[in-house]
Amino acid sequence: MIENQITERIIGCAIKVHQNLGPGLLESAYQECLFYELKKAGPKVQKEKPLPLIYEEVKLDCGYRMDLLVEDTIIVEIKSVETLNDIHLAQVLTYLKLNDSKIGLLINFNVLQLIKGVKRVINKYKN
């Protein structure tokens, strides 16, 4: 599956979750439901995948975890906040760098229309 098809499928599943649950729940509820929907839809998906930090060639487990990793390439970071801000974007960019991934989705479920809460994030340093 190519990246655009994967992100399209993820967003479709997220919209389904949002239509069923609406805004206002905890991030963990949306994460579980989106994980379930993605598993039903078919792509390989991992939840709470550990993300080690490499510092001076030493692999350190600092407790970072990606909300979802789809097809070993797309990082999905789930939020349920009033407004996405720069620190949320920085988090996804850092995860992209640490995982050596190109594309991430930052999804805020605490909106009336989910499409307004979806941000596609590109690691411009990854080919």
Side-chain angles (χ1 to χ4, degrees):
M1 231 188 265
I2 61 170
E3 294 162 338
N4 286 339
Q5 291 173 323
I6 298 168
T7 57
E8 196 174 287
R9 183 169 285 177
I10 296 166
I11 293 168
C13 288
I15 289 170
K16 183 175 181 183
V17 168
H18 190 264
Q19 286 172 337
N20 282 303
L21 299 178
L25 299 177
L26 296 174
E27 290 172 14
S28 58
Y30 297 114
Q31 180 185 23
E32 287 298 325
C33 293
L34 183 54
F35 178 71
Y36 170 77
E37 284 298 333
L38 285 167
K39 283 187 77 157
K40 279 192 338 183
K44 177 183 175 189
V45 60
Q46 299 169 71
K47 179 176 57 169
E48 293 291 325
K49 184 169 185 332
L51 186 61
L53 175 65
I54 309 296
Y55 182 77
E56 293 187 355
E57 300 178 19
V58 177
K59 191 177 194 180
L60 305 168
D61 182 9
C62 297
Y64 293 114
R65 299 196 180 287
M66 295 177 275
D67 287 343
L68 300 173
L69 181 64
V70 182
E71 291 291 331
D72 295 319
T73 59
I74 309 296
I75 295 173
V76 180
E77 183 62 28
I78 297 168
K79 299 294 179 197
S80 182
V81 293
E82 187 174 326
T83 305
L84 290 175
N85 59 44
D86 291 344
I87 198 67
H88 300 124
L89 179 59
Q91 179 185 10
V92 176
L93 286 168
T94 298
Y95 286 2
L96 289 171
K97 179 182 174 187
L98 291 175
N99 197 59
D100 197 29
S101 294
K102 183 178 178 184
I103 298 175
L105 290 174
L106 177 56
I107 303 176
N108 181 18
F109 280 88
N110 196 29
V111 292
L112 292 178
Q113 292 180 308
L114 188 69
I115 202 66
K116 293 181 179 176
V118 176
K119 221 181 239 285
R120 190 170 194 240
V121 183
I122 307 292
N123 179 357
K124 64 182 179 180
Y125 299 106
K126 174 78 176 159
N127 291 328

